[in-house]
Amino acid sequence: MSINNILGITESYKAPERMWEIIKSDHIDRDVIFFRFLEAFRYDVSEDWFHSWFQEDHADRSNKKQDFTPMAVARILAEITDLPFKGSFEKRYDVCSGTGGLTIAKWQKDIINKGFLNYRPSQFLYICEELSDRSLPFLLFNFLIRGMNGIIYHGDVLEKNYKAIYVIVNEKDDALGFSGFIELNKK
């Protein structure tokens, strides 16, 4: 099943708006779509499902010079930035996050290092900054479906001028659960 089919759209340009509808809907309706995605991708949440699809159809290479970190590079970066878990809480930071491929690779590495049975979402805070209006709902989706805790700044990382800030929380601290979010508007 294709991403467009799961989203219920016929044209890819409609995907960001549809993704906003999904992530802002009540958790019952949202979770139905989450489970469709999980089934379509065989419950493999170790990589960003939107990476190739989004880069081909939505990256703004002309105006914003957007490109996406190849998944192999994301995995290597997750490896070389791997440090021993220092305590009860760790922060991770990803600038120009796109749809979240690099953050997902680091999240996956964190789970492996902690051991799935010992991993708790509250032990990690993933902080991302993203300028693109089109990739932002996919970045949020990726956090929510993986049950991550984090903060996403939507705006210009160089100017530190943000349209909104999103606080993502896995309220049950359940490694198999989904997260919710609140939006804090800056403007």
Side-chain angles (χ1 to χ4, degrees):
M1 179 174 280
S2 75
I3 289 172
N4 285 0
N5 287 344
I6 298 169
L7 293 175
I9 58 174
T10 55
E11 310 250 357
S12 293
Y13 77 88
K14 296 177 181 178
E17 183 179 334
R18 177 66 179 128
M19 190 61 78
W20 273 119
E21 291 170 5
I22 292 165
I23 63 175
K24 288 185 174 185
S25 65
D26 68 69
H27 73 88
I28 295 168
D29 293 335
R30 180 201 72 175
D31 292 358
V32 168
I33 302 295
F34 279 8
F35 282 113
R36 285 186 194 150
F37 270 96
L38 288 167
E39 288 172 11
F41 289 94
R42 298 186 174 133
Y43 294 86
D44 181 1
V45 292
S46 65
E47 289 189 5
D48 178 11
W49 305 323
F50 306 112
H51 183 268
S52 298
W53 176 84
F54 196 92
Q55 182 168 303
E56 293 302 317
D57 288 348
H58 297 282
D60 189 351
R61 290 185 170 139
S62 330
N63 295 325
K64 296 180 183 161
K65 308 298 182 216
Q66 287 179 318
D67 212 342
F68 287 67
T69 306
M71 293 314 300
V73 173
R75 285 188 296 274
I76 290 169
L77 287 171
E79 285 288 333
I80 64 174
T81 59
D82 191 28
L83 300 170
F85 192 72
K86 295 179 191 135
S88 60
F89 183 74
E90 296 282 334
K91 290 185 280 186
R92 309 292 189 236
Y93 178 69
D94 181 7
V95 65
C96 303
S97 304
T99 57
L102 185 57
T103 300
I104 292 167
K106 190 61 178 169
W107 169 80
Q108 179 67 19
K109 185 67 177 160
D110 289 338
I111 289 174
I112 290 168
N113 285 346
K114 277 297 281 181
F116 183 76
L117 296 176
N118 295 319
Y119 172 82
R120 294 288 170 260
S122 62
Q123 297 170 320
F124 297 91
L125 181 69
Y126 299 90
I127 303 166
C128 292
E129 296 191 47
E130 178 53 42
L131 176 62
S132 170
D133 293 338
R134 287 187 274 181
S135 63
L136 186 72
F138 295 91
L139 178 60
L140 279 163
F141 177 95
N142 277 329
F143 269 68
L144 300 176
I145 199 166
R146 287 169 176 80
M148 299 166 70
N149 285 337
I151 301 170
I152 297 175
Y153 294 89
H154 179 206
D156 187 331
V157 64
L158 298 176
E159 298 290 328
K160 297 293 182 194
N161 183 18
Y162 303 111
K163 297 176 185 179
I165 299 170
Y166 300 89
V167 179
I168 300 105
V169 178
N170 183 324
E171 290 183 41
K172 294 181 180 175
D173 202 21
D174 179 2
L176 293 174
F178 301 134
S179 295
F181 75 96
I182 59 168
E183 177 180 353
L184 308 172
N185 292 313
K186 288 288 286 180
K187 285 190 174 184

